[in-house]
Amino acid sequence: MTTEVSGRASAKQTAVLGIILVSYFMVLLDNSVIFTGLPSIRSGLDLSPIALSWVQDAYTLVFGGLLLLAARAGDIVGRRRLFRIGLAIFGTASLLVGLAPEGWWMIASRAVQGIGAAIVAPTSLALITTYFDGEARTRAIAWYAATAGIGASLGLLVGGALTEWISWRAAFLVNVPIAVALIVWSGTVLVETPRQTRQFDVIGALPATLGMGAVIFGIIESADAGWGSARVQAALVIGAILLVALVVHEGRVPQPILPLRLFRSRERTGAYTARLLYLGAMIGFFYFTTQLLQDGFGFSPLQAGLAFLPMTLVNFAVALAVPRLSARLSNGTLLASGTALTLAGMAWLSRIDALDTYVVDVALPMVLVGAGQGLAFGPLTKSGIADVDSADAGAASGLVNTAHQLGMALGLGVLVAISANVGGTLDGPAAVTDHVGAALTGSSVLLLLALAVVLTVIVPAARDRSAASGTSSDRRSQHPITDPKVEAGPCHSDIEQ
């Protein structure tokens, strides 16, 4: 009987994990597929450089701005319900993007996609905390981290292939049947989480959304207007004021959008900070390495996508080995090793020269970056949701994803500014490699800062908590769920570190 119940629980968890990973991969794919398709979108819709930048920026702005609100809404109205709504919005917007006749339609539809993504991304991570415990949760987070790691690089490959073989529109239209299938599938597998009866923090929702949106807008605008621009500075100041107001307000309400208790853990706070820095470096890697391959080495969009395979394959293999490694090594050790490996690969790649070759000077550093990312993402995600009560799982997941998106926006803004005056007009391979090298040097600095946060904040905090509990924080509850209640509905135990 126990074996039969365990088998049913395992089958259900496999189905739930499939829904989570496919939905998250769809969002990540859409976030990176745009890079290889931008030249074709520009010519197909006759977009100016500023309008073209907003094809990506509209998505990033709305995605990042709504994350805190959408994540907390799942805790209150039910994660299954909100998850399916997010899928419907994302799928509909993808259809509108794929059919866009003009630039304004494309940009508006990308903003609507950002709404769907802001719902799906944190809700999918919160579903892991709902359905998985112990060793099963460790494996689920490892798969989630592997998806996060390969989504960006595989998106470049898929985007390049569809753009070259069919059209840039196909890269977005492919989301439509996936979203429909996920809505149907989730309706048969997921069980609604209990709705919380406490009042929704409407007042906190405004500064959370507008504050994050203003900060991200200011960062995005800095790439074109510069950090000295009046509108950039105004947006950043307004965003900072709204976020301070949010913090003051959230300390006084019973059901906050952003529970301040999440920051009481040094480990979680360090994880949010390290994730912001790490993703700031990684967006620079993808954005500028794509330019290097196409403008410096003369690769086609498809060839550029294929060129990321060394990183993608190593990343995937290492990420899936993390659960086994975590049985021998602490979460902090894995995270520090992964961040250090990523830093080594990024620093190596930043030394690129016009006379260098792809195999030795690009592919080999990519292997280090891929291995490092595979090691780091799972432990970084795990620290970001460490010891969170199930009632706050959505909010904690929202903070993880907010750090992710804010880090990418901030990183790209900073790295574009660093590289702006290097390489001149980017006419010729030498100018391109100088431009890319400067940007990736900036990425290396961000990774160095991330490593410092890992070593001085996350690792000591995790060690102190483990010592206080008298057990290993990384190897607690090493048995998969066998409780019959899994078959009837999700479990709501506290997060296991």
Side-chain angles (χ1 to χ4, degrees), residues 39-408:
S40 299
I41 293 172
R42 179 182 58 206
S43 59
L45 296 178
D46 192 25
L47 297 177
S48 67
I50 294 178
L52 184 67
S53 69
W54 275 104
V55 169
Q56 176 66 8
D57 293 343
Y59 178 85
T60 303
L61 177 63
V62 176
F63 190 179
L66 290 178
L67 270 168
L68 293 177
L69 173 60
R72 194 51 166 165
D75 288 335
I76 297 173
V77 306
R79 292 168 195 157
R80 174 182 179 268
R81 180 181 295 106
L82 194 65
F83 179 68
R84 300 181 79 202
I85 291 172
L87 289 172
I89 294 173
F90 193 87
T92 301
S94 296
L95 176 63
L96 294 175
V97 171
L99 299 177
E102 296 184 26
W104 67 267
W105 181 308
M106 173 78 167
I107 293 170
S109 300
R110 286 284 285 167
V112 177
Q113 266 193 319
I115 298 174
I119 295 172
V120 172
T123 309
S124 63
L125 179 55
L127 286 171
I128 289 181
T129 71
T130 302
Y131 282 89
F132 297 88
D133 270 316
E135 185 179 332
R137 179 175 291 164
T138 299
R139 290 196 302 268
I141 290 177
W143 276 99
Y144 186 89
T147 301
I150 70 171
S153 53
L154 197 56
L156 296 172
L157 175 58
V158 172
L162 291 176
T163 299
E164 188 163 318
W165 293 340
I166 306 176
S167 165
W168 63 264
R169 297 179 185 274
F172 296 98
L173 292 175
V174 72
N175 290 330
V176 179
I178 296 175
V180 171
L182 284 170
I183 291 171
V184 175
W185 192 11
S186 61
T188 62
V189 174
L190 300 181
V191 177
E192 187 58 274
T193 56
R195 298 177 65 174
Q196 298 181 21
T197 57
R198 287 176 288 180
Q199 185 177 7
F200 185 73
D201 182 19
V202 177
I203 296 177
L206 292 176
T209 302
L210 297 178
M212 285 298 304
V215 169
I216 292 175
F217 175 80
I219 294 170
I220 289 172
E221 278 294 289
S222 70
D224 288 324
W227 293 99
S229 165
R231 67 175 180 271
V232 169
Q233 294 178 354
L236 293 176
V237 169
I238 291 171
I241 292 173
L242 287 171
L243 291 178
V244 169
L246 171 67
V247 171
V248 172
H249 172 76
E250 296 299 85
R252 302 174 178 175
V253 294
Q255 187 68 15
I257 288 289
L258 178 63
L260 299 183
R261 55 185 171 270
L262 292 175
F263 295 99
R264 292 173 186 166
S265 164
R266 285 190 301 137
E267 183 179 0
R268 288 197 300 266
T269 302
Y272 304 143
T273 304
R275 195 177 192 96
L276 185 148
L277 293 166
Y278 193 97
L279 266 297
M282 290 309 300
I283 189 64
F285 168 78
F286 288 112
Y287 184 81
F288 289 99
T289 304
T290 301
Q291 292 183 33
L292 171 69
L293 294 170
Q294 295 190 60
D295 298 331
F297 286 82
F299 286 15
S300 69
L302 176 58
Q303 289 173 328
L306 288 170
F308 281 91
L309 277 180
M311 174 193 174
T312 304
L313 296 175
V314 172
N315 185 350
F316 189 71
V318 171
L320 294 185
V322 166
R324 293 192 300 274
L325 293 173
S326 65
R328 300 181 179 181
L329 302 172
S330 69
N331 197 65
T333 299
L334 291 174
L335 178 54
S337 300
T339 307
L341 273 175
T342 310
L343 172 59
M346 194 75 73
W348 183 356
L349 188 57
S350 71
R351 299 174 61 83
I352 193 72
D353 185 82
L355 299 179
D356 288 341
T357 62
Y358 164 74
V359 173
V360 174
D361 302 291
V362 179
L364 290 181
M366 277 187 175
V367 169
L368 288 180
V369 172
Q373 187 169 267
L375 277 177
F377 257 38
L380 194 56
T381 301
K382 194 174 183 182
S383 289
I385 58 174
D387 279 350
V388 176
D389 185 82
S390 61
D392 291 331
S397 302
L399 276 173
V400 169
N401 281 279
T402 296
H404 196 109
Q405 292 300 315
L406 186 59
M408 290 198 298

